[in-house]
Amino acid sequence: MTEADPQLTGETAELLQVMIRNACINDGTPASGGEVRNAGTVDDALDGLHLDHYEPISGRRSVLATVEGSDPDAPTILLLGHTDVVPVSPDDWREDPFGGELIDGEVWGRGAVDMLNLTSSMAVAVRHLATRDHPPRATVKFLAVADEEAGGTWGAGWIAENAWDDVACDYVLTERGGVPFDGADGRKLVMASAEKGIGWRKLVVHGTPGHGSMPYGADNALITAAEIVRRLAAYQPRAQINEHFRAWAATLPVDDATRAALLDPDTIQAALAGMDPHLSQYCHAVTHTTFSPNVAHGGTKTNTIPDRIELDVDIRTLPGVTDADVEVMLTEALGDLADRVSIEDPVTTRAATTSPSDTPMFDLLRRRAAAVHPGAEVIPWMIVGGTDAAFFRERGIPSYGAGMFSPKASLQEFASRFHGHNERIDLDSLGLSTQLWIDLADGISP
Ligand SMILES: [Zn+2]
C-alpha cells in the first residue's frame, strides 16, 4: 500500500496536537522536560497493549510498547521517537507554539517536525498493527523516549544501559529522513545511516592576575583566550571525502567544475567559499571534524586582570576520528599557545556511528520511497548533529533516520524548522509517515 489512510492520518494529527500542547520542554536541566505528560498521552493512545515504563528520575518517563509479529524469522523493528522538545522564543512565532492548532492543513507547534510528528505517527501505526484483524509480519517495538534533546541521558541512553534486553532489536528507525527534494540528477530522498560524533571540550586558558589600571605587558588570560578563539575558528583539519558526501555532492545545484573541486581535499575549501552558505554549511560539516567555540566564562571584576578563562568548544567528529585524534587536532589548532591552556577531560564524547546501507531494511526504505515518490532515489545521509540512533548503532544495531514526507516544504525550508520558529507539518506528511511504519512492519523480510 502506498496511499495514506485518511482515518489514520487524522488520528496521527490529533495525537500530535495533544503532544504539542503537553509542552515537554527540555532546557538541558534534569528538572525540565516533564515527559511524564507525553508518556501519559502515549499510555492513553496505546491502552490495552503491553507497555513497560522507565523513569530514572522523577518526571523523565519513557514508554515501550510491543506488538508481536506473525513470522518468527522476521527481524524485530524498534520505532524510536522522542517526546521532548526544545524551548521557543514565542514572540517570533506567527502562532502559539504550544497551541497545536491545525491551520490550512498544517499542524503548528514546537515539535511538529522535531519529532512529535514521527513519534505520534509511530504510536498510531503501532496501535493499528495491534488492533487490526491480523498481526504484522515483524515484531514491532515502539519506544517513546524522554531527553533526546539533551543527549539522551534520562531517555534512550539510560534505557540502552539499564534495560537493553527490553529494547533489543534488529533494526532501529528514528528521526531525520524521508524529505523529498529535486537534486541536480533527479528526485531524491535522504535516509540517515550515519551521524557524526561528539567531542565537547572545556579549554581553560591561564594567565597572571594583576591590577586593571596597569595593563601594559600584562599576562591577561582573556586576551590570550581571544586569540585562541580566533585560531579555533580558523582551524580546518584536512577534509575527508566519504561515501555520504560523494552521494550528496552529486545532487548539488553547482557546475561540474565546482562539483569536482568539492570532491578533492586539496580544493574543497576554495570551492566551499564560493558557494551559497545554505549549501556550503552542510558540505563543510559532513567532510570535516569541526570546532566551534561557543561559550566563554571568566573574569571577576572590571579592575582585575583575569588569570582564568574557560572556553566550551563544540567539537563534532567524523567516522574514525578518536579522542586521541581530537587532542592532536587541538594542539595543532592552538599552535604556540597550546601550553597556555589545559584541556579538561571530554565533557561529552561519543564516536561517530555508521550503519550499512545494504541491509534488507535499507532496501525496503528505498522501495517504499520509490513507490511514494515515483523515481525517487534514496541517499544514505550523514547527520551532522546527534540523535538517539547512536545508542543503538554503537551496540551494533543498524539504525536509520527515516520518515516519509510530502514535497510541500523544500528540504531547506524543512531543515530550518528544526529548533526554528514557526515549526509546522502538513497532514499529507503525517499520513505518509504513519503508513511507512505499517509498510515496513508488514514488508520486512528476514
Ligand atoms: Zn529530534
Side-chain angles (χ1 to χ4, degrees), residues 216-234:
Y216 184 77
D219 176 21
N220 183 326
L222 182 56
I223 293 172
T224 308
E227 173 60 13
I228 285 170
V229 167
R230 196 199 61 74
R231 290 185 187 184
L232 287 170

Side-chain angles (χ1 to χ4, degrees), residues 22-189:
N22 281 338
C24 299
I25 305 166
N26 185 350
D27 64 13
T29 60
S32 71
E35 295 92 340
V36 65
R37 293 189 293 277
N38 270 339
T41 296
V42 170
D43 284 351
D44 292 345
L46 300 184
D47 188 29
L49 272 69
H50 177 83
L51 301 177
D52 294 293
H53 297 95
Y54 310 92
E55 192 169 343
I57 55 170
S58 178
R60 314 306 299 268
R61 177 177 274 229
S62 301
V63 187
L64 174 69
T66 305
V67 180
E68 293 296 333
S70 61
D71 181 352
D73 295 326
T76 294
I77 299 171
L78 180 84
L79 303 176
L80 176 63
H82 66 82
T83 60
D84 58 330
V85 298
V86 293
V88 295
S89 309
D91 293 347
D92 294 312
W93 282 62
R94 296 208 313 263
E95 307 294 338
D96 177 358
F98 298 105
E101 297 298 330
L102 175 61
I103 301 167
D104 295 335
E106 293 180 313
V107 177
W108 281 68
R110 177 56 91 217
V113 302
D114 185 12
M115 70 171 284
L116 303 180
N117 57 330
L118 295 179
T119 305
S120 58
S121 72
M122 289 169 173
V124 168
V126 162
R127 178 167 64 192
H128 176 72
L129 292 168
T131 56
R132 67 180 186 186
D133 59 7
H134 58 287
R137 180 177 193 177
T139 292
V140 178
K141 299 180 181 183
F142 166 51
L143 182 60
V145 288
D147 202 32
E148 192 275 344
E149 295 290 1
T153 308
W154 307 115
W158 190 91
I159 294 166
E161 198 68 40
N162 295 283
W164 180 250
D165 289 349
D166 294 0
V167 295
C169 56
D170 298 295
Y171 295 110
V172 168
L173 296 160
T174 186
E175 62 185 331
R176 303 293 173 101
V179 181
F181 66 101
D182 290 318
D185 57 344
R187 178 152 283 200
K188 307 287 177 182
L189 257 92

Side-chain angles (χ1 to χ4, degrees), residues 31 33 40 45 49 55 114 122 146 206 239 244 246 332 345 364 371 380 438:
L49 272 69
E55 192 169 343
D114 185 12
M122 289 169 173
H206 301 283
H244 292 95
R246 285 184 189 284
E332 194 176 51
D345 285 343
L364 184 54
I438 296 168

Side-chain angles (χ1 to χ4, degrees), residues 314-330:
D314 183 355
I315 301 171
R316 305 286 176 144
T317 55
L318 287 171
V321 173
T322 64
D323 277 340
D325 295 330
V326 169
E327 305 301 324
V328 170
M329 290 180 195
L330 275 172

